[in-house]
Amino acid sequence: MYSITVWHEALGKYQVVRGRTPAEAQLKADLKKSAWDAQYLKSVARTQRSKSAADKRAEREALKEEAADRTEEAEQAIQGLGQVLPLIVNASPVFETTKQKITAPFGERQPQAPRYLEYPSAPKREEPQLGILDKIFPLLRKKKMDQAEGLYLKAYGQWSNQTASIKKANDDLYQTQQRLMADWSAKKAAWEENREMANAELAASVAGLKNGNADSVYWLFENVWNLLPVPDDFLSGEYQLHFDEAAKTLVIDLDLPEFEKTPNIKSFRYVASKNEIEEVKHKDSFVQKVYDEFVYQLALAVPHAFFTCDTEQAVQAIVFNGWVTYINRATGNQTTACIVSLHTEASELLKINLREVDAKTCFRSLKGVASPQISSLTPVRPIINIDRSDKRFVNSHDVMGGMESGANIAAIGWEEFEHLIRQLFEKEFSAGGGEVKVTQASRDGGVDAIAFDPDPIRGGKIVIQAKRYTNTVDVSAVRDLYGTVLSEGATKGIIVTTSGFGPDAHRFAKGKPLTLLDGNNLLYLLAKHGTVARIDLAEAKKLGNSLAR
């Protein structure tokens, strides 16, 4: 999947949109930008209406109209949260694999053949008309013959010049046509190649669904999620997945908005005595009900939407865990907690007419777990936690503790370097409850360590690669890391090196969930966690480490 971050400075909004191709991601980004532009223009129009009022009466009318507009927007914000379930159910299936194959031909028309200029007919010699005197007197006859020849030669010269000009113009038309055809053919070939690649990837993903492959399940969920009609201004859209292939169970850890972000404005009213607009807020009990209803509906709607799109029945059951990060008012500290958890099977959920149910009652009948009042953010135990076990993990050991102060980390053994990176990131993530594990040594450039960060905003599964290089890390290594992030179903990739990265590597990483840490960043992190080290690439090269991982 490809992602683009859309910003709107005037509104102070941003959102990450995703697509199966760069074009699809860009289209979604453009649509979101257009929607925000329209919202901004409407706000500007309100201000202009107010400023352009010729007198106080016009100003009052403008303020009344603004209050009505803002009241309508506030009502729509509340209604949108309460319509998540019916909107998603009515739109399902939002993604159909059978309709994703690209069958359309190349859309750009083939350049038309040019209209070549026609050549004029060559002039003919015209025999002069000879009279009796011309026949008697040779000089007169010769004069007429010379005049006729002169006229012919003049006409022939003009014809030759005109023919040469037309030939050059036609040659130019031909060359232009050849260039246009070459460009069109190249575009057509590239488009068809991309079409075949996209169709091949689609076929592989569908085949993976038939075989219950985890990567294909993640691919399907990504496509389903990106098409769900959810209030993306309220919901961050961040999630973490784990698929148990043996049990055919998909665990979805979804970030929920904190309760304080729930819309709470009932209306806006114009106060004549103050000549200004005041907001009227809903009662807390009403806002709590709105939040609870939204969460209940979302917990039912997301699994239902996936099941309706999973025509290959790769997933038999879904565990939906809703997580929220908030400031604990008792301690003042940031807290992350699971506040709702639901286990449901496709066979039972698809039998329910979700258009007619009460979301809370249905959730409870499916044995969902949540506190009586979800908005209280009372933690509950997830029915199934994301499985962090991986047979590639090996026991780690302390490197930082035994390292001499000022040691050249570019010259240590590559296995020691990997354990050093694991220990460093373990210290970095430990404050948030994360953990880091080292994989089995393979020296294949694959996964060197995996971090599990429980933070629902910036966390998830993070792939880490350690490159103890003395030469610049080129773009191929960064490209491989991105492929690993996708294949691992990770949320982010980090590549750490003792050297640096080329400009191509930085350009490739831009806009992707990748972090490039060079030698200076590495030394900074080590110093941050109490280890003083150095990087001397020349010294490492002398020790024969130029081909280090």
Side-chain angles (χ1 to χ4, degrees):
M1 299 295 293
Y2 297 84
S3 62
I4 296 177
T5 302
V6 186
W7 292 87
H8 200 290
E9 294 184 3
L11 294 176
K13 292 184 177 183
Y14 78 96
Q15 182 183 337
V16 177
V17 296
R18 299 179 175 85
R20 192 158 58 94
T21 64
E24 181 181 329
Q26 187 62 53
L27 176 60
K28 292 182 178 178
D30 293 342
L31 291 174
K32 175 54 65 176
K33 182 66 165 55
S34 297
W36 283 347
D37 285 342
Q39 183 179 349
Y40 175 67
L41 290 175
K42 191 173 183 180
S43 174
V44 171
R46 296 186 193 129
T47 304
Q48 290 176 341
R49 285 199 303 267
S50 178
K51 290 183 178 179
S52 64
D55 50 31
K56 290 185 178 181
R57 180 177 180 180
E59 181 181 357
R60 286 196 298 271
E61 293 302 318
L63 289 174
K64 289 179 181 179
E65 186 176 351
E66 178 182 348
D69 287 346
R70 295 174 67 180
T71 296
E72 183 180 356
E73 291 178 0
E75 291 173 348
Q76 289 176 351
I78 295 291
Q79 292 172 0
L81 298 187
Q83 295 297 316
V84 169
L85 182 58
L87 281 175
I88 292 179
V89 172
N90 290 332
S92 297
V94 295
F95 181 80
E96 298 179 71
T97 56
T98 56
K99 296 182 179 180
Q100 302 308 310
K101 185 176 181 180
I102 304 173
T103 58
F106 182 52
E108 186 176 326
R109 295 181 61 182
Q110 180 176 340
Q112 294 182 349
R115 298 182 63 179
Y116 292 109
L117 301 176
E118 295 184 0
Y119 289 97
S121 301
K124 298 180 180 179
R125 279 188 172 87
E126 298 290 342
E127 293 295 331
Q129 297 293 327
L130 298 177
I132 296 175
L133 293 177
D134 297 325
K135 295 178 180 180
I136 296 174
F137 300 102
L139 290 177
L140 291 176
R141 184 172 66 250
K142 183 176 184 302
K143 184 179 179 180
K144 284 191 174 183
M145 295 291 290
D146 290 344
Q147 287 176 345
E149 183 65 17
L151 292 174
Y152 168 74
L153 291 176
K154 182 180 179 181
Y156 185 84
Q158 292 174 345
W159 173 82
S160 296
N161 291 336
Q162 187 179 8
T163 300
S165 297
I166 292 175
K167 183 178 185 304
K168 183 179 184 307
N170 285 342
D171 287 344
D172 290 343
L173 287 173
Y174 176 78
Q175 294 298 331
T176 300
Q177 169 71 0
Q178 292 300 106
R179 287 194 299 271
L180 291 175
M181 279 298 300
D183 291 343
W184 179 83
S185 298
K187 290 179 181 178
K188 181 174 182 289
W191 186 88
E192 289 177 344
E193 181 181 359
N194 289 334
R195 179 184 63 183
E196 295 307 313
M197 289 177 58
N199 287 339
E201 291 176 1
L202 173 66
S205 298
V206 173
L209 288 175
K210 293 179 179 178
N211 296 325
N213 178 266
D215 289 337
S216 293
V217 170
Y218 301 150
W219 166 82
L220 179 59
F221 183 86
E222 182 84 22
N223 282 282
V224 171
W225 176 257
N226 288 333
L227 295 174
L228 291 183
V230 295
D232 44 28
D233 289 341
F234 183 57
L235 195 63
S236 71
E238 298 298 321
Y239 60 82
Q240 188 175 353
L241 305 174
H242 173 73
F243 182 58
D244 186 333
E245 294 185 0
K248 302 184 73 172
T249 298
L250 175 64
V251 181
I252 305 170
D253 278 2
L254 182 68
D255 293 347
L256 299 175
E258 54 183 306
F259 170 68
E260 283 74 9
K261 293 183 178 180
T262 309
N264 63 349
I265 304 300
K266 181 178 182 180
S267 63
F268 292 86
R269 65 184 178 187
Y270 171 69
V271 181
S273 60
K274 299 179 181 179
N275 194 35
E276 62 182 31
I277 296 174
E278 288 185 352
E279 59 183 34
V280 179
K281 293 187 177 182
H282 282 290
K283 294 182 179 180
D284 290 343
S285 58
F286 177 82
V287 180
Q288 291 167 358
K289 183 178 179 181
V290 169
Y291 184 84
D292 287 10
E293 181 67 14
F294 169 76
V295 175
Y296 283 127
Q297 290 194 21
L298 194 67
L300 296 171
V302 173
H304 179 272
F306 183 88
F307 285 142
T308 59
C309 298
D310 182 20
T311 56
E312 304 299 334
Q313 298 182 351
V315 177
Q316 290 184 353
I318 287 179
V319 174
F320 178 94
N321 297 324
W323 295 79
V324 64
T325 298
Y326 62 99
I327 299 299
N328 189 320
R329 299 306 175 189
T331 64
N333 296 323
Q334 189 178 71
T335 301
T336 299
C338 177
I339 60 172
V340 61
S341 186
L342 172 68
H343 175 281
T344 180
E345 295 184 4
S347 58
E348 62 177 346
L349 187 61
L350 293 179
K351 291 179 181 179
I352 300 174
N353 182 6
L354 293 179
R355 294 180 179 85
E356 301 296 333
V357 301
D358 174 77
K360 180 178 180 180
T361 304
C362 182
F363 178 88
R364 296 295 183 185
S365 70
L366 292 172
K367 309 303 180 184
V369 180
S371 65
Q373 185 175 309
I374 296 179
S375 56
S376 67
L377 307 183
T378 303
V380 299
R381 184 179 181 85
I383 295 173
I384 297 179
N385 266 317
I386 286 184
D387 184 10
R388 300 183 178 184
S389 63
D390 193 319
K391 296 179 180 179
R392 295 171 295 174
F393 295 156
V394 297
N395 293 328
S396 58
H397 59 270
D398 183 9
V399 176
M400 298 173 71
M403 183 181 295
E404 295 181 0
S405 179
N408 181 12
I409 58 175
I412 66 176
W414 61 267
E415 288 186 274
E416 290 293 294
F417 183 72
E418 289 179 2
H419 284 281
L420 171 67
I421 298 303
R422 187 277 314 163
Q423 192 174 6
L424 173 62
F425 278 95
E426 188 173 53
K427 291 179 177 292
E428 186 71 15
F429 285 115
S430 62
E435 59 179 311
V436 181
K437 293 183 178 292
V438 179
T439 59
Q440 296 178 20
S442 61
R443 307 197 70 174
D444 61 355
V447 181
D448 296 325
I450 293 178
F452 295 99
D453 186 352
D455 189 303
I457 303 299
R458 62 179 174 84
K461 182 180 181 181
I462 302 172
V463 173
I464 302 172
Q465 285 186 352
K467 301 291 185 184
R468 192 205 56 177
Y469 278 7
T470 55
N471 298 321
T472 300
V473 179
D474 60 20
V475 67
S476 63
V478 182
R479 190 179 291 112
D480 290 343
L481 172 62
Y482 186 57
T484 302
V485 169
L486 297 178
S487 64
E488 288 282 336
T491 56
K492 185 178 182 180
I494 301 175
I495 184 169
V496 190
T497 183
T498 48
S499 57
F501 300 88
D504 288 345
H506 285 287
R507 278 195 295 270
F508 179 82
K510 188 175 182 180
K512 297 181 177 65
L514 302 176
T515 298
L516 311 185
L517 298 179
D518 60 16
N520 291 329
N521 296 131
L522 177 55
L523 292 177
Y524 168 81
L525 286 176
L526 286 169
K528 175 183 176 181
H529 294 289
T531 297
V532 178
R534 63 187 177 91
I535 294 177
D536 188 333
L537 301 181
E539 177 182 306
K541 285 184 178 181
K542 290 179 181 179
L543 296 175
N545 289 341
S546 61
L547 297 179
R549 293 183 69 195

